């Protein structure tokens, strides 16, 4: 069995005399910085003086510095800005201050694994990736718990990299829920594959195509939305709480029988073949290459695709339903 680290397995001691410079105050940045501070660690922030988070972080009571100054002051420089921005910020503002013995931290392995950031051998490189969005990282911490997390060590020049990563995980509250060790490669590739095939890509397409087919068949769009989208949450909640078998036991026998006999004909082996193609593109680095190019060209394709979804019928119907049902304020 995989080793899971909990609060009692981990000490905050390795970080007690260190300064942690959190770069970025967005989803992960605001949550991780506040949790580590509330756990008694010494946290400063590195932000753009003209950026949107500067005043928010100041009002939150943090010492806030321009990125390069924070990188200079920090023993651990924890990079929590968007992945496509990291390479340039690292090269121009952080790398010059990464003296021997310092630690570079990440919450996702993309830039290290695909070599967009190549730190010197004399620094430690670690990852603390909470398995949840920032507002959950903060909320669960305030409620006395945490979200689970992955840690990884890419470079261990000091010999203390893993203890530091675990201590940061404890500071963020993640050891309350359980922390697993992984590698930068495993975290990066599995994260990309999961979000493409199942979470963001797979679920969205399943819901969208299910909605389209119901509307095509002449059913009212509002009813199609309830069926293909709204109820998907209720089913997912059951799966989350009780597993697949618990979900099946929780629905009617008709739904069980229909789901079990028809589901695998709809999501058939050829879908699995398509998923394997996505796996290959991630593992070969082709997807990363495409995404880095997309960033350099100003996210044109991304913006076009976002607009297509925004204008899809399911979005118009969904907005109406969510408002009238009081789901969306
Ligand atoms: P975000 O977009 O919410 O926040 C980014 C922050 O960086 C903002 O404060 C923004 O003002 C600042 N920023 C943007 N460009 C900058 C620049 N050029 N220089 C300085 N500051 C800049 O980002 P996020 O979602 O918190 O992601 C941060 C990291 O955490 C990423 O590596 C991401 O993969 C990882 N991560 C995110 C989540 C999540 O749920 N959001 C979960 C796990 C890991
Ligand atoms: Mg992801």
């Amino acid at each position: 069995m995989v080793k899971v680290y909990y609060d009692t397995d981990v000490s905050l001691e390795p970080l007690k005399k260190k300064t942690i410079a959190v770069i970025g105050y967005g989803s992960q940045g605001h949550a991780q910085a506040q949790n580590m501070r509330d756990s008694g660690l010494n946290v400063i922030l590195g932000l753009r003086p003209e950026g949107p988070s500067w005043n928010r972080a100041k009002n939150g009571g943090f010492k806030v510095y321009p990125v390069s100054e924070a990188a200079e002051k920090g023993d651990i420089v924890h990079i929590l800005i968007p992945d496509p921005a990291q390479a340039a910020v690292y090269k121009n503002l952080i790398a010059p201050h990464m003296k021997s013995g310092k630690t570079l931290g990440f919450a996702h392995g993309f830039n290290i694994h695909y070599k967009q950031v190549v730190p010197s051998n004399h620094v430690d490189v670690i990852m603390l990736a909470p398995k949840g969005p920032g507002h959950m990282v903060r909320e669960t911490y305030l409620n006395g718990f945490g979200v689970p997390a992955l840690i990884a060590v890419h470079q261990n020049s000091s010999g203390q990299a893993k203890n530091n990563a675990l201590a940061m995980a404890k500071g963020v509250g993640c050891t309350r829920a359980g922390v697993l060790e992984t590698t930068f490669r495993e975290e990066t590739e599995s994260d990309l594959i999961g979000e493409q095939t199942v979470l963001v890509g797979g679920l969205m397409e399943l819901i969208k195509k299910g909605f389209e087919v119901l509307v095509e068949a002449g059913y009212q769009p509002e009813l199609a939305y309830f069926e293909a989208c709204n109820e998907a949450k209720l089913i997912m909640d059951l799966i989350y709480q009780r597993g697949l078998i618990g979900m099946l036991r929780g629905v009617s026998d008709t739904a069980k029988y229909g789901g079990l006999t028809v589901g695998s004909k709809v999501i058939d082996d050829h879908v699995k073949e398509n998923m394997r193609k996505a796996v290959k593109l991630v593992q070969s680095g082709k997807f990363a290459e495409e995404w880095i190019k997309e960033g350099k060209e100003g996210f044109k394709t991304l913006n076009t695709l976002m607009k297509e979804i925004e204008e899809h019928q399911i979005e118009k119907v969904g907005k109406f339903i969510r408002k009238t049902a009081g789901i969306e304020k």
Side-chain angles (χ1 to χ4, degrees), residues 19 35 98 127 149 157 205 233 250 321:
T19 297
N35 291 5
M98 291 310 293
M127 180 187 346
S157 155
E205 283 307 316
K233 178 196 180 327
I321 299 273

Side-chain angles (χ1 to χ4, degrees), residues 24-28 48 52-53 67 80-83 85-86 89 107-108 130 132-133:
Y25 200 66
S27 174
Q28 286 298 323
R48 292 169 296 185
S53 331
V67 173
L80 298 179
I81 65 174
D83 298 298
Q86 291 181 6
V89 169
H108 176 41

Side-chain angles (χ1 to χ4, degrees), residues 14-122:
L15 300 182
K16 279 280 159 72
K17 294 202 174 74
K18 290 193 159 72
T19 297
I20 303 166
V22 170
I23 311 299
Y25 200 66
S27 174
Q28 286 298 323
H30 94 284
Q32 294 197 28
Q34 293 189 81
N35 291 5
M36 286 193 284
R37 178 182 62 184
D38 292 353
S39 296
L41 300 174
N42 178 26
V43 178
I44 62 170
L45 282 165
L47 302 173
R48 292 169 296 185
E50 78 286 3
S53 331
W54 182 276
N55 285 329
R56 259 194 321 131
K58 273 232 131 115
N59 294 338
F62 281 103
K63 286 184 190 153
V64 186
Y65 302 93
V67 173
S68 62
E69 222 175 294
E72 190 195 341
K73 292 187 191 306
D75 302 298
I76 294 176
V77 182
H78 196 36
I79 305 186
L80 298 179
I81 65 174
D83 298 298
Q86 291 181 6
V89 169
Y90 173 76
K91 183 163 161 267
N92 299 325
L93 303 173
I94 297 174
H97 306 292
M98 291 310 293
K99 293 201 210 72
S100 258
K102 293 228 255 182
T103 296
L104 202 56
F106 292 88
H108 176 41
F110 189 96
N111 285 291
I112 290 290
H113 180 55
Y114 292 117
K115 302 194 167 43
Q116 299 305 295
V117 170
V118 184
S120 95
N121 295 331
H122 309 292

